[in-house]
């Protein structure tokens, strides 16, 4: 495992948003309960934060 920083580009931002949306879609197939709802709220907040960051912002990543 190695940690590195990757600049936030429009393409990278899109990749992150697609991954978040996929997680939300998967959670929406589950029974609605407090755990599922909390995760969906958190993922939407994460998406809002990613979209608010400026291009070039260094995003910490881990390479496996």
């Amino acid at each position: 495992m190695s940690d590195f920083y990757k600049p936030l580009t429009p393409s990278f931002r899109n990749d992150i948003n697609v991954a978040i949306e996929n997680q939300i879609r998967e959670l929406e197939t589950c029974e609605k309960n407090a755990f599922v709802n909390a995760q969906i709220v958190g993922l939407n907040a994460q998406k809002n934060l990613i979209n608010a960051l400026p291009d070039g912002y260094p995003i910490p990543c881990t390479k496996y």
Side-chain angles (χ1 to χ4, degrees), residues 7-38:
L8 184 61
T9 62
S11 174
F12 188 32
R13 183 188 323 268
N14 184 60
D15 292 345
I16 293 169
N17 282 328
V18 167
I20 293 169
E21 289 165 6
N22 288 341
Q23 289 179 336
I24 291 171
R25 269 194 295 280
E26 186 175 351
L27 285 167
E28 287 174 342
T29 66
C30 298
E31 177 186 341
K32 294 292 181 191
N33 59 49
F35 300 109
V36 171
N37 291 338

Side-chain angles (χ1 to χ4, degrees), residues 6 50 63:
K6 184 174 178 178
I50 291 296
K63 188 172 190 174

